[in-house]
Each structure stands twice: as structure tokens, then as C-alpha cells.
Amino acid sequence: MTIKNTRIVLASRPQGQPVAENYRIETEAVAKLKKGQVLIKVIYLSLDPYMRGRMSKEKSYADPIPIGGVITGESAGVVIESRSLRFQEGDYVCCPSGWQSHFVTDESDLNVYPVDPSRVPLSAYLGVCGMPGRTAYFGLIREAKPYASETLVVSAASGAVGSVVGQIGKMLSLRVVGVAGGPEKCAWVKDELGFDECINYKLGDLDEALREACPDGIDIYFESVGGALSEAVAQQLNPGARVPICGYISSYNAEKIAAARTPFDIFGELPNPPWHKFFLVFDYLAEYGEANTKLVDWVANDKIKYRETIVEGLEKAPEYFNWLFEGKNFGKLIVRVAVD
Ligand SMILES: NC(=O)c1ccc[n+]([C@@H]2O[C@H](COP(=O)([O-])OP(=O)(O)OC[C@H]3O[C@@H](n4cnc5c(N)ncnc54)[C@H](OP(=O)(O)O)[C@@H]3O)[C@@H](O)[C@H]2O)c1
């Protein structure tokens, strides 16, 4: 029986927020496997903010997706055919499939790695126990280098990265203040995840809200958002403060991202700039094992909680992707591509 692959490719480069015309859906027959190859059926596809940058023509730390190329992305799936000694049929794996239903790869591809859904659910390997979880782990522990009782402010606090940053912060005895969009997200962050406070930035007056929530000032700001929040945080940083810059999602759809006012401008222009630096989770590639082990243990033992928004259908990925920029996701945004 011929297996058909469905894939979503970049038809044109978005100007501002992506629209349906920027994508094209294609189907193709999956070719016969060569020696050493495996065929993976994608079950869950991760949607992540960084993908927006890859749709632009500017080169950043990675090359842009070429026009006609499959949209970049990680997925969790199952090996359904194998001509490899490294993987057997039935093995669950994470892999850089991109936005497609099937992925053929070589056994030598180290970006394909086995995962164990008996420890935590398969989808969790794309979020809390996957790339976003590792970003939180290395960004807080290695970049910010926190000390007990310091005050940590976490932007996008109910999201895939932010929710883990704050919970690790609590394990390290920090005062943790989240910032999130809306009362429901803030209630979850405070009541379920155990942050000390959570500010709903949509209510405005961030200066006053931050002053109340951070009476001793801010020692660490985990930057994921940029814009008005960063401007407000910048005024309340303590001497010796650290600002690991994970991202600045509020600018990702800017018509001219190079012209946008970034956290580097905001923090760099202060009379006494704090330590601030963009970091990439991939910088820690050699140490992923350490983070993976800890994150899976924490989740399996209920020390870290997480939330997912799981939406249905690969064809609708373009529509769901925009949810990240509209705050419509609550926790990690994942597309169910096929049933397990
Ligand atoms: N450096 C790295 O290696 C690395 C790795 C992974 C992720 N990141 C970055 O980490 C950040 C968070 O990623 P994630 O995967 O965890 O996404 P996420 O938080 O799960 O989802 C994005 C959230 O950002 C908030 N947001 C979107 N537009 C906003 C705006 N204009 N102003 C304020 N908030 C806005 C929304 O939450 P609200 O409803 O609360 O507004 C939205 O739900 C992104 O900047 C991403 O690029 C960096």
C-alpha cells in the first residue's frame, strides 16, 4: 500500500502576521525506504514562535525556509517502517519533521531521538520535557544564575517556556512573579503552578503592578515578550540584575523586524545597563541529557505541572500558528496530526 505524505510548504513570505496565502498544502507518495532509513508517522506537531522568523528572508541563527520548502518544526511520532538497526517499528521518537504527516530520515540523524511515553505523555516531549522545557532550564539556571530569595519576573508566564521557568524558580527558592494575558491564565499560574504573584498585563499600569508585586525590586527578568513590559521592568531592576533574552514575541510580526525596538535597545540604553544577553537553547546541545532527565523526573513526580492546547488537523496548522501571537494558546500549542 502506498503511504501518502501531506506537507505544508511556504508559498510566499508573510508581511506581518502570516495569512493562508503564505502556505500551500501538498501531498506526495512516500518513497521506498533505502538501507539505514526509517519512516516516522507524525502524531503531534509542535507550533513554536521561532517558526515565524524562519518564514522571513532575513538570515538569523538559522537559514530562512526556502520558498516551496516544508515549514520547519519538531514533532513526536512513531516509527512505522524501518531499515535501520537504530530504530524498530513501534519506537516512539521526537524528530525535526517539519509540518508534515510523515518523515523519512536516516538512522544517522542525531536530531531523531527515542522517547518513552510510559513515563510522561508523548505530547509532553514537545513542551515541558522538550525544547521549551530545556530552554527554561538552561535559560534560568545557566544564563541568569539565580540566588535563593532573589526576585524573578517571568513574561509569557502561562506559556510553554515561562510556566517551566517560574516553577524551577520556585524550586530554587526565588520570589517568582509571572506576567500573563488575562485572569484565567494568571489564576492558573498563581494557584496551580505556585508563583507568588501573577500580573495581568492587559489591565495596564504595569509600573504600579510591578512595584506592588516586587517590593524589593527585580533581580532577574526572563525576557520572552519585549515591548511595554520590558520598558516597565527596566525601571525597576536592581543593581546586579540579569536579563536572559529568550525572545521578544511582540515584535515577531513587525513589518520590519530589524527596525523594531528590541530588548537590546531597552536594556542597553539604561544608564547602568543590566547584564542582558540573547541565548539559544541549542547552545546547550551537549547537555540536553541532563535537562531531559530532570524535566521528565519532575513531571513524572508532579513537581512540575504543565498545560497544553492540543488542536486537531495538520491542514489547520497555519491558522493555529497565529494563536501564539494572539495569546489564544494556553500552555504549549500542539497539533494532533494523527491518532496514536
Ligand atoms: N532562545 C531560545 O532558544 C528559545 C526557545 C524557545 C522559545 N523561545 C522564545 O520564548 C518565548 C515563549 O515561547 P513559548 O514557546 O513558550 O510560547 P508561549 O508562551 O507558549 O506562547 C506565546 C505567548 O506569548 C504571549 N504573547 C504573544 N504576543 C504577545 C504580545 N504582543 N505581548 C505580550 N505577550 C504576547 C501570549 O501569552 P499571553 O496570553 O500571556 O499574552 C502567547 O500565549 C518566545 O519569545 C520564543 O521565541 C526562545
Side-chain angles (χ1 to χ4, degrees):
M1 191 188 68
T2 313
I3 296 175
K4 289 261 167 133
N5 177 36
T6 302
R7 62 185 188 184
I8 301 183
V9 303
L10 188 67
S12 59
R13 303 212 180 273
Q15 303 293 321
Q17 186 143 304
V19 294
E21 291 68 37
N22 299 132
Y23 305 94
R24 190 171 60 243
I25 298 178
E26 299 178 344
T27 53
E28 57 175 3
V30 173
K32 224 167 160 293
L33 293 190
K34 297 187 187 119
K35 195 162 173 240
Q37 286 189 322
V38 289
L39 170 61
I40 297 159
K41 180 177 88 163
V42 171
I43 297 171
Y44 293 112
L45 169 69
S46 179
L47 295 181
D48 297 275
Y50 81 85
M51 295 164 179
R52 175 63 186 85
R54 301 283 171 89
M55 294 176 197
S56 299
K57 66 173 185 309
E58 286 81 24
K59 190 176 182 313
S60 57
Y61 56 89
D63 288 333
I65 303 166
I67 297 296
V70 176
I71 309 291
T72 312
E74 288 71 43
S75 66
V78 63
V79 174
I80 56 171
E81 232 183 284
S82 176
R83 291 199 63 199
S84 147
L85 295 176
R86 190 174 158 221
F87 296 104
Q88 268 85 58
E89 268 177 47
D91 284 353
Y92 287 94
V93 292
C94 280
C95 62
S97 64
W99 293 16
Q100 53 186 345
S101 64
H102 293 81
F103 183 54
V104 174
T105 188
D106 196 83
E107 62 184 354
S108 61
D109 184 350
L110 294 178
N111 291 311
V112 182
Y113 55 93
V115 293
D116 179 0
S118 71
R119 294 223 53 215
V120 300
L122 185 61
S123 57
Y125 288 102
L126 295 178
V128 60
C129 298
M131 184 277 282
R134 291 191 290 265
T135 303
Y137 181 90
F138 293 114
L140 181 63
I141 296 174
R142 298 293 179 77
E143 296 288 329
K145 301 185 176 66
Y147 295 97
S149 85
E150 285 190 315
T151 297
L152 161 71
V153 171
V154 185
S155 55
S158 72
V161 176
S163 57
V164 181
V165 171
Q167 291 181 88
I168 296 176
K170 284 314 300 173
M171 287 188 210
L172 298 174
S173 304
L174 306 181
R175 174 171 177 79
V176 180
V177 175
V179 182
E184 204 195 339
K185 287 183 174 180
C186 283
W188 181 68
V189 163
K190 200 173 162 195
D191 303 340
E192 297 290 326
L193 304 188
F195 287 35
D196 296 283
E197 292 296 340
C198 189
I199 297 169
N200 174 4
Y201 70 87
K202 293 192 171 166
L203 293 179
D205 205 350
L206 284 168
D207 298 328
E208 182 55 27
L210 283 168
R211 244 188 309 278
E212 256 179 46
C214 311
D216 298 326
I218 299 166
D219 300 299
I220 301 169
Y221 172 50
F222 197 94
E223 172 69 289
S224 288
V225 165
L229 176 60
S230 312
E231 305 274 4
V233 164
Q235 300 308 316
Q236 298 188 37
L237 291 172
N238 289 329
R242 284 88 71 209
V243 181
I245 301 176
C246 180
Y248 38 105
I249 193 169
S250 66
S251 297
Y252 290 2
N253 283 320
E255 295 278 336
K256 285 204 172 98
I257 192 162
R261 184 164 160 77
T262 68
F264 306 102
D265 300 315
I266 296 169
F267 296 105
E269 283 169 10
L270 291 172
N272 294 303
W275 177 92
H276 60 289
K277 183 187 142 224
F278 180 72
F279 75 95
L280 264 180
V281 64
F282 307 113
D283 298 340
Y284 292 95
L285 190 65
E287 296 168 79
Y288 277 7
E290 170 192 320
N292 292 347
T293 304
K294 289 218 168 107
L295 290 162
V296 170
D297 280 348
W298 285 332
V299 172
N301 294 308
D302 218 21
K303 292 208 168 100
I304 283 197
K305 296 182 181 149
Y306 68 101
R307 185 163 176 149
E308 298 167 330
T309 297
I310 299 188
V311 290
E312 303 289 331
L314 177 64
E315 287 82 354
K316 292 182 83 179
E319 180 187 329
Y320 297 132
F321 177 59
N322 283 345
W323 285 17
L324 291 166
F325 309 101
E326 296 161 355
K328 285 192 187 160
N329 62 309
F330 193 159
K332 179 73 196 99
L333 183 58
I334 292 171
V335 181
R336 195 193 319 271
V337 175
V339 285
D340 189 353

